[in-house]
Amino acid sequence: MQRMMVTLLVAFAIGIVLGKLLLPVLHKLKFGQNIYELAPEAHKKKQGTPTMGGVVIAGAAIAAALLLNDYKASFSKDMLFAMILMALGNLCIGFADDMTKIRHGKNGGLTPKQKMFFQTILALAFSCYCYFHPQIGSSIKVPFLRVEWDLGIFYIPAMMFIIVGTTNSANLLDGLDGLLTSVSMVDFATLAVLCGAASLSGLGVGCAAMCGALMAFLSRNAYPAQMFMGDTGSMFIGGALVAAAMMLRQPLILVLIAFWMLMSSLSDIIQIAYFKKTHGKRIFKMAPIHHHFELCGIHETKIVTMYMVTTIVLCVITLLGVL
């Protein structure tokens, strides 16, 4: 646990420095956010805010984790390296999406088919890695019931679905200043505690590094944001989050700790389905649901606070049900 605390502090310090160094570079390169034309009116003033700040999160988290890792396990079995590679794979997809948006000068990056193709390949590779890993395998733990389910070969498609769903849900949640950053910070702190309890020190170091890096990034990303993480950051976060949960053999806890990510996806799916079914009617004023709350007159800082407090409560419930 002491190693994880040191990792968190190191990641925080590196993140603060990287954020300060990167901000003027992003301004100089004119890597500004292109705001969706149908976004709430309050978002229009955010046009041009530097994006792709996710490299700060990734750089700080990876540097701190590699510095503090104990390197006891072989490379092929080291869960920290697996988590980093999974997160970096998703970061590359997000980076390509962000660069496409910047190059075209509008809020439209990779096509859904392009994203899904690369996400599916990455999800298949990581699911197979976990399936054949001697400490993970095809069994998953069921929180609260204290039992395990052996999914057999069906573990692979089930985990692929969870991976793609989680990474896209993280991407959807990144819609307000500091929203995904603050919620994910709590999630990774929770996962670090679970790793400590499971004696998975390497994985715990990775989760602590993510928490520290997110704390540092929040200083630049909280309202009013000086920097956005972009898909580069949100995809990296989603990949690291689902990787840690899977290697803990606790993917089902994502329903609780990643509740608002799940709600973002569900509200989006419901909105689209209802819109098509009723030929133009909407259930929510705008989806994902945090934009609905915003259009109901709730300031985004209050929405972020509500999401974070809810996440803290759900994470405490998760710890009580798992430990």
Side-chain angles (χ1 to χ4, degrees):
M1 192 63 73
Q2 184 178 1
R3 184 188 294 270
M4 287 191 283
M5 288 300 300
V6 173
T7 305
L8 185 151
L9 294 174
V10 171
F12 177 78
I14 295 173
I16 291 293
V17 173
L18 285 180
K20 187 173 182 178
L21 294 175
L22 185 65
L23 187 58
V25 174
L26 293 176
H27 274 296
K28 187 174 182 179
L29 293 174
K30 297 182 179 179
F31 281 5
Q33 178 73 34
N34 293 297
I35 303 300
Y36 181 45
E37 55 270 16
L38 298 179
E41 191 63 33
H43 287 225
K44 301 297 174 66
K45 62 183 179 183
K46 301 179 183 183
Q47 179 77 23
T49 300
T51 187
M52 292 176 65
V55 297
V56 172
I57 302 170
I62 293 172
L66 293 180
L67 280 171
L68 275 298
N69 188 27
D70 56 19
Y71 296 99
K72 290 181 179 179
S74 64
F75 178 80
S76 62
K77 296 178 182 178
D78 195 315
M79 293 185 184
L80 173 61
F81 286 123
M83 176 183 174
I84 289 173
L85 289 174
M86 175 62 171
L88 281 176
N90 280 281
L91 179 146
C92 290
I93 298 171
F95 182 83
D97 196 41
D98 283 336
M99 287 303 296
T100 304
K101 292 175 184 176
I102 292 169
R103 195 177 299 119
H104 293 168
K106 59 182 180 180
N107 190 49
L110 298 176
T111 66
K113 287 184 179 179
Q114 289 173 327
K115 266 189 177 180
M116 186 58 68
F117 173 77
F118 292 115
Q119 287 177 327
T120 301
I121 297 298
L122 189 59
L124 174 60
F126 190 75
S127 297
C128 289
Y129 170 82
C130 291
Y131 181 79
F132 290 108
H133 195 290
Q135 290 179 266
I136 305 172
S138 59
S139 295
I140 62 172
K141 297 179 181 179
V142 183
F144 303 103
L145 299 181
R146 313 275 178 172
V147 298
E148 294 186 9
W149 288 343
D150 189 345
L151 302 180
I153 195 63
F154 294 105
Y155 173 90
I156 294 175
M159 293 306 108
M160 288 176 65
F161 175 79
I162 291 174
I163 290 169
V164 174
T166 302
T167 51
N168 283 317
S169 296
N171 186 228
L172 284 171
L173 187 59
D174 184 33
L176 300 178
D177 294 1
L179 182 56
L180 178 60
T181 310
S182 57
V183 168
S184 301
M185 186 174 66
V186 178
D187 289 343
F188 281 109
T190 303
L191 290 171
V193 172
L194 293 177
C195 288
S199 298
L200 297 174
S201 59
L203 189 60
V205 161
C207 292
M210 285 296 299
C211 183
L214 287 163
M215 287 171 64
F217 187 72
L218 188 60
S219 67
R220 301 281 178 182
N221 188 233
Y223 182 88
Q226 302 172 37
M227 183 191 299
F228 295 141
M229 68 173 69
D231 288 6
T232 302
S234 62
M235 298 292 285
F236 179 81
I237 290 169
L241 185 71
V242 72
M246 284 175 61
M247 288 188 286
L248 273 164
R249 298 199 295 135
Q250 298 273 12
L252 297 181
I253 65 171
L254 291 171
V255 174
L256 287 175
I257 70 172
F259 174 79
W260 287 116
M261 294 183 191
L262 177 63
M263 288 300 103
S264 293
S265 284
L266 284 178
S267 62
D268 215 38
I269 293 168
I270 292 169
Q271 182 86 322
I272 293 170
Y274 189 78
F275 185 87
K276 290 180 178 179
K277 183 73 174 178
T278 59
H279 305 289
K281 293 183 179 180
R282 292 176 171 84
I283 290 181
F284 307 109
K285 293 184 177 181
M286 188 175 181
I289 197 168
H290 49 262
H291 289 314
H292 170 79
F293 294 140
E294 194 177 10
L295 292 175
C296 287
I298 305 174
H299 194 274
E300 59 181 290
T301 54
K302 291 185 178 180
I303 298 171
V304 172
T305 301
M306 176 181 71
Y307 273 46
M308 189 174 180
V309 170
T310 307
T311 301
I312 291 172
V313 172
L314 291 173
C315 284
V316 170
I317 292 172
T318 300
L319 291 174
L320 293 174
V322 173
L323 296 178

